[in-house]
């Protein structure tokens, strides 16, 4: 029972899976449109900026 709780605590879920999926190369067999590519590009930029700001905040906090 405790092992199941441990696994469920660290599951990424839909949002976590999206963060991983947005950085993968698109499937060449799937049809993609311009709007979808731009949305994923903007999401990549925002994730990277968030992680950068989090690192800067942690460094300032620890020093």
């Amino acid at each position: 029972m405790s092992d199941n709780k441990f696994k469920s605590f660290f599951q990424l879920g839909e949002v976590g899976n999206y963060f991983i999926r947005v950085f993968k190369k698109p499937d060449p067999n799937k049809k993609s449109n311009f709007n979808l590519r731009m949305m994923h590009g903007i999401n990549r930029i925002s994730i990277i900026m968030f992680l950068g700001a989090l690192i800067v905040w942690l460094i300032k906090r620890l020093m």
Side-chain angles (χ1 to χ4, degrees):
M1 179 84 172
S2 131
D3 187 42
N4 191 15
K5 286 183 182 179
F6 185 75
K7 283 182 181 178
S8 67
F9 181 74
F10 285 104
Q11 282 183 336
L12 294 176
E14 288 183 36
V15 175
N17 287 334
Y18 175 77
F19 287 135
I20 293 171
R21 191 176 67 234
V22 78
F23 286 103
K24 289 185 179 180
K25 293 278 185 189
D27 186 13
N29 297 329
K30 270 188 166 179
K31 185 178 179 183
S32 178
N33 63 14
F34 180 76
N35 293 331
L36 187 62
R37 287 193 318 255
M38 289 299 108
M39 180 191 70
H40 287 303
I42 291 169
N43 287 347
R44 284 185 199 113
I45 292 169
S46 64
I47 292 169
I48 291 169
M49 288 182 69
F50 172 75
L51 291 175
L54 190 63
I55 290 169
V56 169
W57 179 79
L58 284 172
I59 290 171
K60 283 185 173 183
R61 195 78 165 148
L62 294 174
M63 291 189 171

